[in-house]
Amino acid sequence: MRPAAYISQSLEIAVALAAAPLFLGWVNQCRAWLANRSAPSVLLPYRNIRKLFHKDAVLAENASALFRIAPYVVFGTMVVAAGIIPSLSGRLPLVAAADAIALVGLFGTARVFLSLAAMDVGTAFGTLGARREMMVGFLAEPALLMVIFVASLISATTALPAISAHLAGARLVIDPSLAFTAVAFTLVLLAENARIPVDNPATHLELTMIHEAMLLEYSARHLALMEWAAALRLFNYACIGFALFVPWGIAAGNVGPLGLTLAIPILALKLAVAGAGLALIETLSAKLRIMRAPEFLATAFLFAVLGLLVHVLLGGP
Amino acid sequence: MTPLPLNQQLLNACAALLLLLSFAMLSQRRIVSLVNLFAVQGAVIAATTLLVAWRTGETHLYFSAALTLALKVAFLPWLLHRLIRRLEVRWDTEPLLDISGTMLAGIVIVVFAFGLAEPITHLASTSMRNAIGIAVAVVLLAFLMMITRRKAMSQVIGFLSMENGLFFGAMSATYGMPMIVELGVALDVLVAVLVLGVFFFQIREQFDSLDLHHLERLGERR
Amino acid sequence: MTASLPPPFADPLTDCLVLVAAWLVIGVAGLAAPRSVRYAGRALFALGALVGIALAAAAALSLLGGVTQTRILPIGLPDLPFHLRLDALSSVFLVLLGASAAGVSLFSAGYFRESDGMAPGLLCLQYHLFLASMALVLLADDAYAFMVGWELMALSSYFLVTTQHRIPEIRSAGFLYLVMAHVGALAILLAFGILQGGSWQFTFDAMRAAHLSHAWAAAAFLLAMLGFGAKAGLVPLHVWLPEAHPAAPSPVSALLSGVMLKTAVYGMLRVTFDLLGHPAWWWGLVPLAAGLLTALYGVVFAAVQTDMKRLLAYSSIENVGLLFTGFGLSVVFFGVGMPALAALALLATLYHSLSHAAMKSLLFLGTGSVLHATGQRNLGRLGGLIHRMPWVAALTLVGALALAGLPPLNGFVSEWLLLQSFLFADRIPRSFVNLLIPLGAAVVALCAALAGYVMVKFYGVIFLGQPRESSLAQAHDCGLLERLGLGWLALLCLALGLAPVQVVSALAPVTRQLVGSAVPQPAASWWLLAPVPGRAVSYAPLVLLLAGAAVILLTMLLVRLFYHRRVRRARPWDCGFGEVTPRMQDTAEGFGQPIRNIFQSFFAIERELPTPFDAAPRYRIAISDRMWRGLYQPISGWVRRLADAAAILQRGRIATYLLYGFATLVVLLAVVLAT
């Protein structure tokens, strides 16, 4: 009994670590196709990370210990988060330690460390990035929390696997509030992962950056960890989305190794579709001016709140 | 809590979708997208009518659905798009209240609407009682949109969306109005839009803009 | 004194009283050599810290022992003795007082210097009087003792706030504090007046027994809300707090924010659940709404502050808001007959009281160290202190992360509990209310996220980056005693964050006493917090921390093993821009700018923008509270006009005054005649 649960837990984390850069590569490839460019290899993120690990780290003269620890903390947080999001299996021992609210808290921890590290060297772009990141975060985090809150109200628990099992298992119950939260979640996903309407992952124009601006002072292994963590964050968000809105195909209960191996292609399919959809959204929308970003996120937050309202109104007994 | 029957759930989902669309319209700056959203709203209304028709077996509702589809999904959006092209008003200017403020006011309105609809909900016997609150909310939200926009075009869309809300409310309370009333209302809407379209050209000719704050000058001239 | 002690474990009330008396003795002893920093500043404060730890231990024993003790002390007026009582509720708050005071006193022992205004001996007296009066408030079992303690608390803290009384701003801050404290005290007094219910007995026992009509009970509740709300800093009664807390020396600020605000929460809990007993559910809406408003208001203002202590003071307002939110929610749950959920919400409130006491004291003490090392309170003149003050920086980071509500620290536990109790709000069997209350969770979530913003600003601007002034190069780390004080509080934060199960089970007697129900806790698991009745919901910070630490260590190890650990130091890259000067970093204003724009309608903003042709351009922005102009200035205007009207009576002639006396006498005699 127990060993099986630990195996599925380890498998899940391993899949997340391995698949996250691939997912990022896939999104980039789709974007290139949609923009009628010749696409880079899907494996480019791996090569990039490997290259960075081999390089010598260059640190700013006045970088403190916090600056050196932060990449490890951010990466570690994302790995733990991957361990509590049901992507393949619903049987995750770690979920007892951290439910969905704690998951939002974990993302918050990563964000705070990232921003603090960005402020550490004391450059203009670093603090600018930190400020903007926190601005995005303080609206995106409650929006995500409200999305999860609605899902928790529907399924009467805050443990993510239980939520997704409930949503998948209910006898074709359509909860109208999920329409609202799905919109809100999509907006949050775009904002939190530095995707286009809010930030541009491909930009190198300093004044428009958010995420890149925070990483400017990082190099080599530290940068590699940060990049990997960013890929993991995107992967994690995608998996949260699957757990809430397309919860079918996650191995639940005692399905054994067969169920787990079956869950992998299903996850791959979902990721492929989600990545293409993400690329489509990014291609179709224009980047917002930074002053518009709060409006975008406030919309996300309010949609999530509306979802809550609609659930209480329509979904009540 | 026993799960509701399927078509009931579908109706609830449609109601929620309508509300979602109302908020999407509230937060949309581009007039072209506004027209598209209006068309989708019409489609959801038509789908709801079909669902109710299928459930109750009342034939006049099928006609009503067909009418909605023809008028609100096809003809009016086409007309509005044409108007937009001819008038070249693709963007609304800065709304009077910023989007987040409008949305916040919208949430307050939703809460108010549900409080308002609650006593009616107990009276109504139809299977769509819960939707009455949403219908009231859609009407009020459309009103809010008309208040906060400057361009005449978006106000017309707000007006049409208000009519959608009323229609939906009538359906959820009493399974729709008698056919003759519905036909009359449809005709009214059609005529209103045509007349307003003529007005737009007149306004623009007079002021070189569709921005309604120019109308404020009218008072001073007297 | 020690010789007459009874066996200490049998009689915690006596222990507490002896310890409180010890604080008083220490305070008075300060007068023996009031000018000596070494004696009054060092030795006595360290002794006070020991007493604090002992008090916390005694109260904890009483809490675990589950006994309620009462005693009558013949102090005061002949027929009005002090009734004292030590029950679960007062024990918890005594633990809070003792444990926080221990850290603060330890820090103070290393903190106070010659030049801090008031003589150390006097400071020692006021400080310990303040501690003892707070203990008296918590122990009181009649309105008389309560009000004596309450007023002593207000007065002694007033003198502490005005330690540097030569600065006019501090004097006016102190005056404002005193006025608000007395308005509050008046409301509390009136509340007690109603609570006695015609028996004219002012013991709490008589109040528990009194039967009040619904209207009177509601009036008492609202008056108590007013009185305790003024002490706690609920909007719109909060204006004194951001003035008074920063004005005081940092250890005193720590006590004011960390401990004294909680006495208001204590008072509210005592009056509502204990003295009134059967709160109606709709009463809870008042603290709920006020709490949510206060939380949002406080955190938004905290985000735009430029003075580090004011920032923390506004953050205290936010946390008080969260405390009252939880309290209101528990009243609503209790009123509609859901005691298990009431216990959950109450637990969140109590937990957050403890958490906030530890983390806010820690941060205020940290600002004290920074202030001593640099002489700067303005965030715009600090920066880069992590290199100069590694101890303070490291320990303050714990407090900042905790206050930001991040797992696995303590701020997150209470936030988690509060959100869990909001998850049940749609079950409240009152239409419309069950619609509105879940929306409160959205406000709580927003506040929690904004608290993260505030803490990044606070920590990042003070400790990270480059020093913004050249004088900061002389800054030095704090001394050993200060480190110990900070360390103790950081340890409390960690303990509260990592051992929630133990804390929750220790708090069970309190919720049982107040709402007659406790949060269930499966006995088997000492590491898994699963407090929600009937739901498989759990949180285990220790496991989370271990998992995170394991991943981090493993990553470090693997990176070292497979690659290398070479590091080169170079000038900051900054996208290749040439010179990087400290002025290029965000100032406090800069970092708060997004919040200022988004929540513009909250503030009254005065801006001075330079023209493009200005040779020496200066940018100035002043942000003030709309409440001042909207509420307080009209009120003070009315008071002034009323006073002017009354001044007509004052003619300055002896004969007129004699005439008043004569007229009064005649009227009174006439009344006597008539009756």
Side-chain angles (χ1 to χ4, degrees):
Chain A
M1 274 309 280
R2 298 307 293 267
Y6 287 105
I7 287 170
S8 66
Q9 177 79 73
S10 326
L11 182 72
E12 175 141 335
I13 292 179
V15 165
L17 279 171
L22 187 67
F23 181 51
L24 191 63
W26 167 244
V27 174
N28 287 340
Q29 196 165 44
C30 288
R31 278 181 57 167
W33 284 339
L34 284 169
N36 221 357
R37 287 182 280 130
S38 57
S41 158
V42 274
L43 301 178
L44 188 65
Y46 294 105
R47 293 191 193 132
N48 199 13
I49 289 173
R50 192 167 134 259
K51 175 188 77 185
L52 287 171
F53 268 123
H54 276 293
K55 288 192 168 185
D56 274 15
V58 182
L59 289 178
E61 289 152 340
N62 60 339
S64 69
L66 186 84
F67 186 78
R68 299 180 68 170
I69 293 173
Y72 295 96
V73 174
V74 173
F75 181 74
T77 324
M78 284 304 150
V79 173
V80 173
I84 57 180
I85 301 168
S87 55
L88 296 174
S89 151
R91 292 175 74 205
L92 305 171
L94 204 54
V95 165
D99 62 355
I101 300 177
L103 178 68
V104 179
L106 276 178
F107 284 138
T109 310
R111 182 186 11 258
V112 165
F113 267 92
L114 191 58
S115 306
L116 286 178
M119 293 179 85
D120 187 52
V121 178
T123 58
F125 290 128
T127 45
L128 173 147
R131 180 197 339 133
R132 291 181 175 172
E133 169 80 4
M134 290 314 286
M135 177 185 84
V136 169
F138 95 82
L139 281 165
E141 187 181 311
L144 179 61
L145 201 56
M146 281 300 108
V147 170
I148 283 172
F149 207 81
V150 175
S152 306
L153 276 176
I154 293 170
S155 43
T157 172
T158 55
L160 211 43
I163 292 175
S164 99
H166 177 96
L167 293 177
R171 275 174 298 153
L172 204 66
V173 175
I174 306 162
D175 204 301
S177 56
L178 284 180
F180 286 84
T181 48
V183 173
F185 181 79
T186 312
L187 301 185
V188 170
L189 183 144
L190 292 170
E192 282 276 65
N193 290 290
R195 309 314 295 188
I196 254 189
V198 179
D199 190 5
N200 187 352
T203 186
H204 287 287
L205 185 64
E206 294 89 348
L207 289 175
T208 59
M209 310 185 283
I210 301 179
H211 187 253
E212 287 294 312
M214 291 194 292
L215 303 186
L216 271 183
E217 299 300 322
Y218 276 114
S219 59
R221 55 175 181 272
H222 302 126
L223 184 59
L225 285 172
M226 285 294 199
E227 299 277 0
W228 203 347
L232 267 171
R233 181 157 66 169
L234 182 61
F235 181 85
N236 282 343
Y237 266 90
C239 288
I240 296 175
F242 301 150
L244 294 181
F245 305 113
V246 271
W248 302 282
I250 297 171
N254 302 316
V255 285
L258 185 69
L260 275 180
T261 40
L262 204 66
I264 293 180
I266 296 177
L267 178 67
L269 184 69
K270 286 186 201 167
L271 283 173
V273 173
L278 185 59
L280 190 65
I281 295 177
E282 281 198 82
T283 312
L284 287 181
S285 47
K287 187 177 173 310
L288 291 169
R289 280 189 297 151
I290 196 77
M291 284 86 93
R292 287 266 186 252
E295 206 165 75
F296 178 81
L297 287 159
T299 311
F301 180 50
L302 293 176
F303 268 119
V305 170
L306 264 173
L308 181 67
L309 211 56
V310 168
H311 170 73
V312 185
L313 298 174
L314 292 182
Chain B
M1 190 171 86
T2 52
L4 297 163
L6 181 63
N7 55 9
Q8 179 75 59
Q9 282 184 39
L10 282 173
L11 283 175
N12 270 355
C14 282
L17 218 55
L18 269 184
L19 191 63
L20 183 67
L21 286 167
S22 285
F23 270 94
M25 287 168 101
L26 208 55
S27 65
Q28 186 56 257
R29 282 173 205 275
R30 296 177 62 189
I31 292 181
V32 178
S33 318
L34 216 54
V35 176
N36 292 340
L37 283 171
F38 169 72
V40 177
Q41 202 180 36
V44 173
I45 297 250
T48 319
T49 320
L50 271 181
L51 267 171
V52 173
W54 172 58
R55 186 184 158 83
T56 59
E58 299 206 27
T59 36
H60 85 268
L61 283 177
Y62 286 109
F63 289 111
S64 165
L67 188 66
T68 311
L69 207 62
L71 189 65
K72 287 178 188 157
V73 184
F75 182 64
L76 282 180
W78 173 78
L79 192 70
L80 289 168
H81 273 303
R82 219 176 80 111
L83 269 177
I84 290 169
R85 265 201 310 280
R86 298 269 299 273
L87 293 166
E88 288 169 352
V89 276
R90 293 183 157 267
W91 287 81
D92 204 336
T93 42
E94 210 48 31
L96 294 174
L97 195 63
D98 71 332
I99 300 285
S100 343
T102 319
M103 297 266 294
L104 214 57
I107 285 185
V108 174
I109 282 178
V110 171
V111 172
F112 175 73
F114 274 83
L116 204 68
E118 193 163 35
I120 311 171
T121 307
H122 290 302
L123 289 177
S125 56
T126 59
S127 59
M128 297 176 61
R129 292 180 300 156
N130 286 342
I132 296 175
I134 286 192
V136 178
V138 169
V139 171
L140 291 178
L141 286 172
F143 222 132
L144 184 69
M145 193 179 95
M146 289 175 73
I147 295 169
T148 54
R149 296 306 164 94
R150 288 177 200 269
K151 286 270 158 81
M153 203 68 195
S154 10
Q155 295 194 328
V156 169
I157 298 169
F159 168 74
L160 292 172
S161 157
M162 201 151 92
E163 201 272 337
N164 273 351
L166 281 174
F167 184 82
F168 185 70
M171 190 147 59
S172 40
T174 60
Y175 290 139
M177 294 171 276
M179 198 58 203
I180 186 76
V181 181
E182 249 166 59
L183 278 173
V185 171
L187 203 64
D188 271 357
V189 169
L190 200 59
V191 171
V193 171
L194 291 174
V195 171
L196 282 168
V198 176
F199 258 117
F200 286 163
F201 284 102
Q202 291 300 322
I203 293 173
R204 199 181 57 158
E205 215 150 274
Q206 205 72 41
F207 299 108
D208 277 341
S209 157
L210 274 182
D211 211 333
L212 283 185
H213 76 258
H214 293 294
L215 292 181
E216 289 162 16
R217 290 209 309 252
L218 290 176
E220 292 157 24
R221 281 196 195 159
R222 229 180 328 155
Chain C
M1 202 156 79
T2 42
S4 63
L5 256 183
F9 303 121
D11 191 2
L13 180 54
T14 313
D15 295 349
C16 289
L17 288 178
V18 168
L19 290 166
V20 172
W23 263 340
L24 286 176
V25 170
I26 292 172
V28 174
L31 294 179
R35 298 257 152 230
S36 159
V37 174
R38 180 175 291 234
Y39 165 70
R42 299 274 175 281
L44 288 181
F45 273 97
L47 218 57
L50 286 182
V51 174
I53 291 181
L55 181 70
L61 280 176
S62 146
L63 185 62
L64 297 177
V67 281
T68 298
Q69 287 181 297
T70 55
R71 172 150 320 167
I72 300 175
L73 277 192
I75 322 178
L77 298 176
D79 52 348
L80 273 178
F82 278 9
H83 294 72
L84 301 176
R85 173 184 160 106
L86 183 65
D87 55 13
L89 179 61
S90 41
S91 303
V92 167
F93 281 87
L94 279 172
V95 170
L96 185 154
L97 168 66
S100 327
V104 177
S105 297
L106 209 54
F107 180 89
S108 310
Y111 182 82
F112 287 117
R113 316 270 155 92
E114 295 279 3
S115 54
D116 278 344
M118 202 187 282
L122 273 177
L123 203 61
C124 174
L125 174 67
Q126 300 293 357
Y127 180 90
H128 288 100
L129 195 62
F130 182 41
L131 291 179
S133 60
M134 285 194 280
L136 178 61
V137 166
L138 300 177
L139 285 169
D141 197 28
D142 66 62
Y144 172 57
F146 188 92
M147 288 314 292
V148 168
W150 192 259
E151 288 292 309
L152 258 182
M153 184 171 88
L155 280 177
S156 53
S157 56
Y158 165 74
F159 286 117
L160 287 170
V161 166
T162 54
T163 301
Q164 287 168 324
H165 50 83
R166 292 189 214 293
I167 303 170
E169 286 85 28
I170 289 188
R171 277 205 305 275
S172 69
F175 177 71
L176 181 64
Y177 171 51
L178 205 60
V179 169
M180 290 306 284
H182 279 93
V183 170
L186 213 61
I188 297 170
L189 202 62
L190 288 173
F192 282 137
I194 296 175
L195 279 170
Q196 50 82 22
S199 67
W200 300 106
Q201 292 287 310
F202 283 90
T203 60
F204 284 175
D205 272 331
M207 292 182 191
R208 282 181 198 108
H211 291 286
L212 296 176
S213 71
H214 282 305
W216 279 117
F221 177 81
L222 292 177
L223 276 171
M225 263 308 284
L226 193 67
F228 291 116
K231 189 54 120 190
L234 283 186
V235 170
L237 304 168
H238 66 287
V239 284
W240 63 272
L241 205 150
E243 305 296 326
H245 286 207
S250 294
V252 177
S253 316
L255 280 186
L256 288 172
S257 263
V259 185
M260 193 187 73
L261 296 182
K262 311 303 180 306
T263 60
V265 176
Y266 165 82
M268 221 45 234
L269 293 177
R270 177 67 80 191
V271 166
T272 311
F273 289 113
D274 191 16
L275 303 186
L276 281 166
H278 305 285
W281 68 271
W282 62 265
W283 298 359
L285 299 181
V286 180
L288 188 61
L292 289 171
L293 176 69
T294 305
L296 191 61
Y297 204 87
V299 76
V300 166
F301 267 86
V304 297
Q305 295 307 309
T306 53
D307 176 321
M308 58 180 177
K309 291 183 78 176
R310 275 177 84 92
L311 182 148
L312 290 182
Y314 272 112
S315 152
S316 290
I317 295 180
E318 178 222 343
N319 284 286
V320 160
L322 292 179
L323 289 174
F324 274 78
T325 305
F327 163 66
L329 199 56
S330 82
V331 172
V332 172
F333 278 134
F334 188 68
V336 297
M338 301 166 123
L341 296 175
L344 185 63
L346 191 61
L347 184 69
T349 308
L350 293 168
Y351 210 112
H352 198 62
S353 299
L354 293 170
S355 288
H356 184 245
M359 57 204 186
K360 191 48 74 60
S361 307
L362 175 58
L363 288 182
F364 261 122
L365 296 183
T367 62
S369 289
V370 170
L371 192 59
H372 257 197
T374 64
Q376 286 295 350
R377 274 171 46 177
N378 188 341
L379 288 168
R381 294 171 185 279
L382 293 163
L385 289 177
I386 195 170
H387 301 288
R388 297 273 148 209
M389 311 176 74
W391 275 97
V392 178
L395 293 169
T396 310
L397 182 61
V398 175
L401 293 179
L403 200 61
L406 300 176
L409 287 165
N410 55 350
F412 180 75
V413 182
S414 26
E415 190 190 315
W416 189 82
L417 288 168
L418 190 59
L419 284 173
Q420 291 290 356
S421 41
F422 263 112
L423 269 174
F424 287 93
D426 64 326
R427 304 269 177 92
I428 294 169
R430 299 283 181 283
S431 58
F432 215 57
V433 173
N434 65 357
L435 238 166
L436 286 175
I437 294 184
L439 295 185
V443 180
V444 171
L446 186 62
C447 291
L450 272 167
Y453 191 106
V454 171
M455 280 301 111
V456 168
K457 169 176 170 174
F458 173 81
Y459 194 82
V461 175
I462 296 179
F463 291 103
L464 303 177
Q466 306 174 52
R468 290 180 176 78
E469 298 275 308
S470 53
S471 63
L472 297 181
Q474 271 82 49
H476 52 87
D477 212 347
C478 61
L480 178 67
L481 280 170
E482 293 170 65
R483 273 179 221 171
L484 282 176
L486 290 171
W488 166 256
L489 290 170
L491 211 62
L492 283 183
C493 284
L494 283 173
L496 283 168
L498 294 179
V501 180
Q502 285 67 25
V503 181
V504 165
S505 56
L507 289 175
V510 188
T511 53
R512 220 172 283 134
Q513 179 197 349
L514 295 184
V515 296
S517 172
V519 165
Q521 178 63 40
S525 65
W526 57 271
W527 52 273
L528 192 67
L529 182 67
V532 183
R535 283 184 186 182
V537 163
S538 55
Y539 171 59
L542 204 56
V543 177
L544 199 60
L545 180 69
L546 288 180
V551 172
I552 290 170
L553 289 177
L554 201 65
T555 316
M556 282 182 167
L557 198 72
L558 288 178
V559 168
R560 272 183 195 184
L561 220 59
F562 287 113
Y563 301 101
H564 55 85
R565 41 188 301 199
R566 286 193 292 278
V567 161
R568 273 192 295 133
R569 292 275 177 176
R571 292 204 8 231
W573 154 236
D574 201 30
C575 257
F577 276 70
E579 190 71 15
V580 180
T581 70
R583 277 176 57 84
M584 289 178 180
Q585 310 171 79
D586 268 16
T587 54
E589 287 94 341
F591 205 84
Q593 184 262 353
I595 305 287
R596 206 170 59 222
N597 275 0
I598 295 168
F599 294 96
Q600 223 158 27
S601 45
F602 278 60
F603 313 115
I605 301 178
E606 267 178 59
R607 225 188 237 113
E608 271 178 35
L609 290 171
T611 64
F613 309 105
D614 209 331
R618 285 193 64 79
Y619 172 77
R620 198 188 66 87
I621 187 160
I623 289 170
S624 49
D625 201 329
R626 279 182 187 274
M627 292 284 172
W628 271 116
R629 212 174 302 159
L631 186 65
Y632 284 86
Q633 283 179 358
I635 289 179
S636 78
W638 294 333
V639 170
R640 184 164 296 234
R641 251 167 277 148
L642 217 62
D644 285 343
I648 297 168
L649 297 175
Q650 302 278 356
R651 295 280 170 189
R653 281 172 57 185
I654 304 287
T656 324
Y657 294 128
L658 286 173
L659 182 66
Y660 293 153
F662 178 72
T664 314
L665 192 64
V666 169
V667 169
L668 284 178
L669 285 174
V671 169
V672 171
L673 201 68
T675 52

